[in-house]
Amino acid sequence: MLKDSPEFTDHIGYWLRRVSNAVSSGFAAKLETLDVSVAEWVFMRLLYKRDPIPPSQVAEVMALTRGGVTKIADRLINKGYLVREDDPEDGRSQRLKLTAKGNQIVPKLAALADKNEAEYFAHLSAPEKRQLMALLQKTVEALGIDTVPIT
Amino acid sequence: MLKDSPEFTDHIGYWLRRVSNAVSSGFAAKLETLDVSVAEWVFMRLLYKRDPIPPSQVAEVMALTRGGVTKIADRLINKGYLVREDDPEDGRSQRLKLTAKGNQIVPKLAALADKNEAEYFAHLSAPEKRQLMALLQKTVEALGIDTVPIT
DNA sequence: TATTGTTATACTCTATAACTATA
DNA sequence: TATAGTTATAGAGTATAACAATA
Protein backbone atom coordinates (compact mmCIF):
# COMPACT_ATOMS: atom_id res chain seq x y z
CA MET A 1 0.00 0.00 0.00
CA LEU A 2 1.02 3.58 -0.61
CA LYS A 3 2.34 5.00 2.63
CA ASP A 4 1.83 8.51 3.89
CA SER A 5 4.94 10.67 3.77
CA PRO A 6 7.11 10.29 6.86
CA GLU A 7 7.26 14.06 7.37
CA PHE A 8 3.59 14.05 8.24
CA THR A 9 3.32 11.10 10.56
CA ASP A 10 5.06 12.57 13.60
CA HIS A 11 1.95 14.27 14.96
CA ILE A 12 -0.21 12.82 17.68
CA GLY A 13 -3.16 14.45 15.94
CA TYR A 14 -2.51 12.39 12.84
CA TRP A 15 -2.60 9.06 14.67
CA LEU A 16 -5.49 10.17 16.80
CA ARG A 17 -7.55 10.85 13.73
CA ARG A 18 -6.65 7.56 12.11
CA VAL A 19 -7.67 5.54 15.15
CA SER A 20 -10.69 7.63 16.03
CA ASN A 21 -12.08 7.52 12.50
CA ALA A 22 -11.64 3.76 12.31
CA VAL A 23 -13.34 3.20 15.67
CA SER A 24 -16.15 5.61 14.83
CA SER A 25 -16.83 4.16 11.42
CA GLY A 26 -16.90 0.68 12.92
CA PHE A 27 -19.46 1.92 15.40
CA ALA A 28 -21.44 3.73 12.70
CA ALA A 29 -21.67 0.46 10.77
CA LYS A 30 -23.06 -1.31 13.84
CA LEU A 31 -25.59 1.45 14.50
CA GLU A 32 -26.68 1.30 10.89
CA THR A 33 -28.00 -2.23 11.45
CA LEU A 34 -30.64 -0.56 13.63
CA ASP A 35 -31.05 2.39 11.23
CA VAL A 36 -29.54 4.90 13.65
CA SER A 37 -26.77 7.41 12.86
CA VAL A 38 -24.01 8.39 15.27
CA ALA A 39 -25.55 11.85 15.61
CA GLU A 40 -28.89 10.29 16.48
CA TRP A 41 -27.22 8.01 19.03
CA VAL A 42 -25.43 10.91 20.73
CA PHE A 43 -28.68 12.85 20.75
CA MET A 44 -30.69 10.06 22.34
CA ARG A 45 -27.93 9.25 24.78
CA LEU A 46 -28.07 12.84 26.05
CA LEU A 47 -31.78 12.54 26.73
CA TYR A 48 -31.74 9.06 28.22
CA LYS A 49 -32.89 8.79 31.84
CA ARG A 50 -32.98 12.51 32.26
CA ASP A 51 -35.57 15.26 32.56
CA PRO A 52 -36.67 16.71 29.20
CA ILE A 53 -34.31 19.43 27.97
CA PRO A 54 -34.75 22.26 25.46
CA PRO A 55 -33.23 22.05 21.97
CA SER A 56 -31.00 25.00 22.79
CA GLN A 57 -29.25 22.94 25.46
CA VAL A 58 -28.80 20.00 23.10
CA ALA A 59 -27.26 22.43 20.60
CA GLU A 60 -24.81 23.65 23.21
CA VAL A 61 -23.66 20.22 24.34
CA MET A 62 -23.40 18.78 20.84
CA ALA A 63 -21.80 21.93 19.43
CA LEU A 64 -24.55 22.24 16.84
CA THR A 65 -26.60 25.22 15.70
CA ARG A 66 -30.26 25.27 16.66
CA GLY A 67 -31.12 24.57 13.03
CA GLY A 68 -29.01 21.42 13.14
CA VAL A 69 -30.78 20.24 16.28
CA THR A 70 -34.15 20.76 14.60
CA LYS A 71 -33.07 18.52 11.72
CA ILE A 72 -31.87 15.63 13.86
CA ALA A 73 -34.85 15.97 16.18
CA ASP A 74 -37.18 15.80 13.16
CA ARG A 75 -35.61 12.53 12.07
CA LEU A 76 -35.85 11.05 15.56
CA ILE A 77 -39.48 12.13 15.81
CA ASN A 78 -40.22 10.51 12.45
CA LYS A 79 -38.68 7.31 13.75
CA GLY A 80 -40.84 7.50 16.85
CA TYR A 81 -37.99 7.89 19.31
CA LEU A 82 -38.58 11.48 20.37
CA VAL A 83 -41.33 13.98 21.16
CA ARG A 84 -41.46 17.74 21.54
CA GLU A 85 -43.32 19.21 24.51
CA ASP A 86 -44.28 22.85 24.98
CA ASP A 87 -42.75 24.53 27.99
CA PRO A 88 -45.76 25.58 30.10
CA GLU A 89 -43.81 28.48 31.56
CA ASP A 90 -42.41 29.99 28.34
CA GLY A 91 -44.38 29.90 25.12
CA ARG A 92 -41.23 30.15 23.00
CA SER A 93 -39.54 27.19 24.58
CA GLN A 94 -39.79 23.45 24.17
CA ARG A 95 -38.65 20.33 25.92
CA LEU A 96 -37.34 17.26 24.10
CA LYS A 97 -38.14 13.86 25.58
CA LEU A 98 -37.53 10.27 24.53
CA THR A 99 -40.62 8.17 23.86
CA ALA A 100 -41.02 4.70 25.36
CA LYS A 101 -39.67 3.38 22.06
CA GLY A 102 -36.71 5.72 22.38
CA ASN A 103 -36.01 4.56 25.91
CA GLN A 104 -36.15 0.98 24.71
CA ILE A 105 -33.64 1.33 21.91
CA VAL A 106 -30.95 3.21 23.85
CA PRO A 107 -29.76 0.15 25.82
CA LYS A 108 -29.59 -1.81 22.56
CA LEU A 109 -27.42 0.90 21.05
CA ALA A 110 -25.31 1.00 24.20
CA ALA A 111 -24.72 -2.75 23.78
CA LEU A 112 -23.41 -2.05 20.27
CA ALA A 113 -21.10 0.61 21.72
CA ASP A 114 -19.81 -1.96 24.23
CA LYS A 115 -19.26 -4.48 21.48
CA ASN A 116 -17.40 -1.96 19.36
CA GLU A 117 -15.20 -0.92 22.25
CA ALA A 118 -14.29 -4.53 23.00
CA GLU A 119 -13.56 -5.18 19.35
CA TYR A 120 -11.34 -2.18 18.74
CA PHE A 121 -9.29 -2.26 21.92
CA ALA A 122 -8.90 -5.97 22.48
CA HIS A 123 -5.18 -5.75 21.70
CA LEU A 124 -4.47 -3.42 24.65
CA SER A 125 -3.83 -4.74 28.15
CA ALA A 126 -5.93 -3.41 31.01
CA PRO A 127 -3.14 -1.09 32.18
CA GLU A 128 -2.64 0.17 28.64
CA LYS A 129 -6.33 0.91 28.32
CA ARG A 130 -6.31 2.83 31.59
CA GLN A 131 -3.25 4.73 30.47
CA LEU A 132 -4.76 5.67 27.12
CA MET A 133 -8.03 6.72 28.72
CA ALA A 134 -6.19 8.77 31.34
CA LEU A 135 -4.14 10.61 28.73
CA LEU A 136 -7.25 11.38 26.70
CA GLN A 137 -9.20 12.56 29.74
CA LYS A 138 -6.30 14.73 30.81
CA THR A 139 -6.35 16.30 27.35
CA VAL A 140 -10.07 16.99 27.48
CA GLU A 141 -9.63 18.71 30.82
CA ALA A 142 -6.54 20.68 29.85
CA LEU A 143 -8.17 21.96 26.68
CA GLY A 144 -11.51 22.65 28.30
CA ILE A 145 -13.29 20.53 25.71
CA ASP A 146 -16.91 20.72 26.75
CA THR A 147 -18.78 19.35 23.80
CA VAL A 148 -19.77 15.85 22.76
CA PRO A 149 -18.69 14.98 19.23
CA ILE A 150 -21.19 13.82 16.67
CA THR A 151 -19.43 12.33 13.71
CA MET B 1 -22.67 22.55 31.58
CA LEU B 2 -24.86 19.51 31.06
CA LYS B 3 -22.74 16.44 31.55
CA ASP B 4 -22.96 13.28 29.52
CA SER B 5 -24.41 10.33 31.44
CA PRO B 6 -21.77 8.42 33.41
CA GLU B 7 -22.89 5.11 31.91
CA PHE B 8 -21.56 6.24 28.54
CA THR B 9 -18.23 7.74 29.44
CA ASP B 10 -16.33 4.58 30.26
CA HIS B 11 -15.32 3.86 26.67
CA ILE B 12 -11.95 4.74 25.20
CA GLY B 13 -13.75 5.36 21.91
CA TYR B 14 -15.82 8.08 23.53
CA TRP B 15 -12.80 10.04 24.78
CA LEU B 16 -10.91 9.40 21.60
CA ARG B 17 -13.68 10.99 19.59
CA ARG B 18 -13.94 13.98 21.89
CA VAL B 19 -10.23 14.72 21.67
CA SER B 20 -9.83 13.88 17.99
CA ASN B 21 -12.77 16.03 16.95
CA ALA B 22 -11.50 18.98 18.95
CA VAL B 23 -7.99 18.69 17.51
CA SER B 24 -9.33 18.23 13.99
CA SER B 25 -11.71 21.13 14.13
CA GLY B 26 -8.96 23.35 15.47
CA PHE B 27 -6.85 22.30 12.52
CA ALA B 28 -9.72 22.79 10.08
CA ALA B 29 -10.12 26.35 11.35
CA LYS B 30 -6.44 27.04 10.72
CA LEU B 31 -6.59 25.54 7.22
CA GLU B 32 -9.62 27.65 6.46
CA THR B 33 -7.51 30.81 6.76
CA LEU B 34 -5.82 29.60 3.56
CA ASP B 35 -9.10 28.41 2.03
CA VAL B 36 -8.16 24.73 2.20
CA SER B 37 -10.31 21.92 3.64
CA VAL B 38 -8.94 18.98 5.62
CA ALA B 39 -9.77 16.65 2.73
CA GLU B 40 -7.84 18.90 0.34
CA TRP B 41 -4.89 18.97 2.73
CA VAL B 42 -4.78 15.19 3.03
CA PHE B 43 -5.05 14.92 -0.73
CA MET B 44 -2.18 17.32 -1.43
CA ARG B 45 -0.07 15.81 1.33
CA LEU B 46 -0.36 12.44 -0.40
CA LEU B 47 0.94 13.88 -3.64
CA TYR B 48 3.67 16.06 -2.17
CA LYS B 49 7.23 15.20 -3.24
CA ARG B 50 6.12 12.06 -4.94
CA ASP B 51 5.67 10.76 -8.47
CA PRO B 52 2.23 11.46 -9.95
CA ILE B 53 -0.33 8.83 -8.95
CA PRO B 54 -3.67 7.79 -10.46
CA PRO B 55 -6.97 8.83 -8.85
CA SER B 56 -7.75 5.19 -8.13
CA GLN B 57 -4.78 5.02 -5.79
CA VAL B 58 -5.79 8.20 -4.00
CA ALA B 59 -9.25 6.68 -3.56
CA GLU B 60 -7.75 3.59 -2.00
CA VAL B 61 -5.52 5.42 0.48
CA MET B 62 -8.13 7.96 1.49
CA ALA B 63 -10.90 5.38 1.63
CA LEU B 64 -12.97 7.35 -0.86
CA THR B 65 -14.90 6.26 -3.92
CA ARG B 66 -13.50 7.30 -7.29
CA GLY B 67 -16.36 9.76 -7.63
CA GLY B 68 -15.31 11.41 -4.39
CA VAL B 69 -11.74 11.73 -5.61
CA THR B 70 -12.95 13.38 -8.82
CA LYS B 71 -14.81 15.98 -6.78
CA ILE B 72 -11.92 16.93 -4.51
CA ALA B 73 -9.49 16.88 -7.46
CA ASP B 74 -11.81 19.25 -9.35
CA ARG B 75 -11.71 21.71 -6.49
CA LEU B 76 -7.93 21.52 -6.20
CA ILE B 77 -7.59 22.02 -9.96
CA ASN B 78 -9.87 25.07 -9.78
CA LYS B 79 -7.65 26.47 -7.06
CA GLY B 80 -4.59 25.88 -9.21
CA TYR B 81 -2.95 23.34 -6.90
CA LEU B 82 -3.35 20.24 -9.05
CA VAL B 83 -3.24 19.01 -12.63
CA ARG B 84 -4.39 15.86 -14.39
CA GLU B 85 -2.03 14.18 -16.83
CA ASP B 86 -2.94 11.45 -19.29
CA ASP B 87 -1.11 8.18 -18.80
CA PRO B 88 0.80 7.68 -22.05
CA GLU B 89 0.65 3.92 -21.65
CA ASP B 90 -3.07 3.53 -20.91
CA GLY B 91 -5.63 5.81 -22.48
CA ARG B 92 -8.11 5.19 -19.66
CA SER B 93 -5.74 6.15 -16.91
CA GLN B 94 -4.55 9.45 -15.47
CA ARG B 95 -1.90 10.74 -13.15
CA LEU B 96 -2.50 13.47 -10.58
CA LYS B 97 0.32 15.90 -9.89
CA LEU B 98 0.73 19.01 -7.75
CA THR B 99 1.44 22.25 -9.60
CA ALA B 100 4.25 24.57 -8.54
CA LYS B 101 1.60 26.49 -6.61
CA GLY B 102 0.50 23.26 -4.98
CA ASN B 103 4.05 22.41 -3.98
CA GLN B 104 4.42 25.87 -2.51
CA ILE B 105 1.37 25.76 -0.29
CA VAL B 106 1.96 22.32 1.23
CA PRO B 107 4.80 23.48 3.54
CA LYS B 108 2.60 26.37 4.68
CA LEU B 109 -0.16 23.95 5.53
CA ALA B 110 2.33 21.68 7.26
CA ALA B 111 3.37 24.65 9.41
CA LEU B 112 -0.28 25.05 10.44
CA ALA B 113 -0.36 21.36 11.33
CA ASP B 114 2.74 21.83 13.49
CA LYS B 115 1.19 24.82 15.18
CA ASN B 116 -2.02 22.93 15.86
CA GLU B 117 -0.13 19.98 17.29
CA ALA B 118 1.86 22.21 19.62
CA GLU B 119 -1.28 23.99 20.72
CA TYR B 120 -3.35 20.92 21.48
CA PHE B 121 -0.75 18.80 23.22
CA ALA B 122 1.21 21.41 25.13
CA HIS B 123 -0.12 20.05 28.41
CA LEU B 124 1.49 16.63 27.93
CA SER B 125 5.10 15.94 28.91
CA ALA B 126 7.46 14.50 26.32
CA PRO B 127 7.17 10.98 27.80
CA GLU B 128 3.39 11.27 27.88
CA LYS B 129 3.35 12.30 24.24
CA ARG B 130 5.51 9.35 23.28
CA GLN B 131 3.29 7.05 25.30
CA LEU B 132 0.11 8.33 23.69
CA MET B 133 1.60 8.12 20.20
CA ALA B 134 2.87 4.60 20.88
CA LEU B 135 -0.53 3.39 22.08
CA LEU B 136 -2.21 4.89 19.03
CA GLN B 137 0.33 3.43 16.62
CA LYS B 138 0.01 0.04 18.27
CA THR B 139 -3.74 0.26 17.72
CA VAL B 140 -3.35 1.17 14.06
CA GLU B 141 -1.11 -1.84 13.57
CA ALA B 142 -3.22 -4.26 15.57
CA LEU B 143 -6.36 -3.29 13.70
CA GLY B 144 -4.69 -3.16 10.31
CA ILE B 145 -5.94 0.35 9.71
CA ASP B 146 -4.54 1.22 6.32
CA THR B 147 -6.37 4.36 5.33
CA VAL B 148 -5.75 8.02 5.98
CA PRO B 149 -8.75 9.77 7.48
CA ILE B 150 -10.24 12.82 5.85
CA THR B 151 -12.60 14.51 8.22
C1' DT C 1 -35.76 44.48 21.28
C1' DA C 2 -34.15 39.96 22.57
C1' DT C 3 -34.86 35.02 22.59
C1' DT C 4 -36.59 30.27 21.03
C1' DG C 5 -37.13 27.53 17.54
C1' DT C 6 -38.10 26.59 12.41
C1' DT C 7 -37.23 27.07 7.65
C1' DA C 8 -34.54 28.05 3.49
C1' DT C 9 -30.33 27.75 1.35
C1' DA C 10 -25.81 26.16 0.51
C1' DC C 11 -21.52 23.58 0.90
C1' DT C 12 -18.65 19.44 2.15
C1' DC C 13 -18.17 14.64 2.55
C1' DT C 14 -19.85 10.32 1.23
C1' DA C 15 -22.20 6.59 -1.43
C1' DT C 16 -24.50 4.27 -5.45
C1' DA C 17 -25.16 3.81 -9.96
C1' DA C 18 -25.30 5.09 -14.78
C1' DC C 19 -22.28 6.49 -18.33
C1' DT C 20 -18.02 7.20 -21.59
C1' DA C 21 -13.79 5.87 -23.32
C1' DT C 22 -10.37 2.61 -23.59
C1' DA C 23 -8.42 -2.01 -23.04
C1' DT D 1 -16.24 -7.85 -20.89
C1' DA D 2 -13.48 -5.36 -17.64
C1' DT D 3 -11.33 -1.17 -16.03
C1' DA D 4 -10.49 4.10 -15.25
C1' DG D 5 -12.62 7.96 -14.57
C1' DT D 6 -16.73 11.25 -14.72
C1' DT D 7 -21.31 12.59 -13.87
C1' DA D 8 -25.86 12.51 -11.66
C1' DT D 9 -28.29 12.00 -7.68
C1' DA D 10 -29.00 11.59 -2.88
C1' DG D 11 -28.40 11.92 2.07
C1' DA D 12 -25.97 13.38 6.37
C1' DG D 13 -23.75 16.95 8.85
C1' DT D 14 -22.82 21.75 9.21
C1' DA D 15 -23.37 26.89 8.76
C1' DT D 16 -25.71 31.40 7.92
C1' DA D 17 -29.51 34.02 7.71
C1' DA D 18 -34.37 35.14 7.37
C1' DC D 19 -38.54 34.33 9.75
C1' DA D 20 -42.58 33.66 13.31
C1' DA D 21 -44.00 33.57 17.87
C1' DT D 22 -43.29 34.96 22.35
C1' DA D 23 -41.06 37.57 26.06
Side-chain angles (χ1 to χ4, degrees):
Chain A
M1 175 220 160
L2 184 68
K3 280 189 166 44
D4 213 347
S5 307
E7 304 104 274
F8 302 119
T9 56
D10 60 345
H11 287 173
I12 294 175
Y14 172 87
W15 295 97
L16 205 53
R17 232 153 30 84
R18 279 185 78 163
V19 175
S20 175
N21 280 37
V23 175
S24 276
S25 69
F27 184 36
K30 289 181 183 66
L31 287 177
E32 209 181 336
T33 63
L34 293 176
D35 191 31
V36 170
S37 72
V38 176
E40 289 164 0
W41 150 252
V42 173
F43 200 117
M44 286 197 276
R45 190 184 64 187
L46 271 178
L47 264 42
Y48 187 62
K49 284 189 179 173
R50 181 175 276 152
D51 289 337
I53 57 177
S56 54
Q57 206 167 354
V58 175
E60 192 192 332
V61 179
M62 292 179 69
L64 278 178
T65 58
R66 285 168 298 156
V69 171
T70 297
K71 245 177 157 180
I72 300 177
D74 282 346
R75 276 212 311 280
L76 288 173
I77 290 168
N78 280 337
K79 291 180 181 176
Y81 295 137
L82 187 73
V83 285
R84 292 188 172 98
E85 290 178 339
D86 288 333
D87 182 338
E89 291 173 357
D90 186 336
R92 298 169 305 181
S93 194
Q94 300 177 354
R95 298 282 178 266
L96 298 173
K97 194 174 72 166
L98 290 182
T99 61
K101 188 179 169 191
N103 276 305
Q104 277 165 13
I105 202 174
V106 169
K108 288 180 195 152
L109 302 174
L112 294 180
D114 288 341
K115 191 178 168 195
N116 199 62
E117 175 83 2
E119 209 172 292
Y120 277 89
F121 300 104
H123 62 287
L124 295 181
S125 67
E128 281 175 330
K129 283 182 198 168
R130 278 195 297 273
Q131 208 168 55
L132 180 52
M133 182 111 85
L135 287 167
L136 294 170
Q137 287 176 345
K138 180 175 176 174
T139 302
V140 166
E141 269 192 44
L143 298 176
I145 299 169
D146 60 358
T147 56
V148 176
I150 289 175
T151 47
Chain B
M1 174 217 159
L2 185 68
K3 280 188 166 44
D4 213 349
S5 308
E7 304 103 272
F8 302 120
T9 57
D10 60 345
H11 286 173
I12 294 175
Y14 172 86
W15 296 96
L16 205 52
R17 236 158 22 87
R18 279 185 78 165
V19 174
S20 175
N21 279 39
V23 175
S24 277
S25 69
F27 184 37
K30 289 181 182 66
L31 287 176
E32 209 182 334
T33 65
L34 294 177
D35 192 30
V36 170
S37 74
V38 177
E40 289 163 1
W41 150 252
V42 173
F43 201 116
M44 287 196 275
R45 191 183 62 187
L46 271 178
L47 264 42
Y48 187 62
K49 285 189 179 173
R50 181 174 276 151
D51 289 337
I53 57 177
S56 55
Q57 207 167 353
V58 175
E60 192 191 331
V61 179
M62 291 179 69
L64 278 178
T65 58
R66 286 169 298 155
V69 171
T70 297
K71 248 180 159 177
I72 300 177
D74 283 345
R75 276 212 312 280
L76 288 173
I77 289 168
N78 280 336
K79 291 180 182 176
Y81 295 137
L82 188 72
V83 285
R84 292 189 173 97
E85 290 178 338
D86 287 333
D87 182 338
E89 291 173 358
D90 186 337
R92 297 169 304 181
S93 195
Q94 301 176 353
R95 298 283 179 265
L96 298 173
K97 193 174 74 165
L98 290 183
T99 60
K101 188 179 170 191
N103 276 305
Q104 278 165 14
I105 202 175
V106 168
K108 289 180 195 153
L109 302 174
L112 295 181
D114 287 341
K115 191 178 167 193
N116 199 62
E117 176 82 3
E119 208 172 293
Y120 277 88
F121 299 104
H123 63 287
L124 294 181
S125 68
E128 282 175 331
K129 284 182 197 167
R130 279 194 296 273
Q131 206 169 55
L132 180 51
M133 182 112 84
L135 287 167
L136 294 171
Q137 287 176 346
K138 180 175 176 175
T139 301
V140 166
E141 269 191 44
L143 298 176
I145 300 169
D146 59 359
T147 55
V148 176
I150 289 175
T151 46

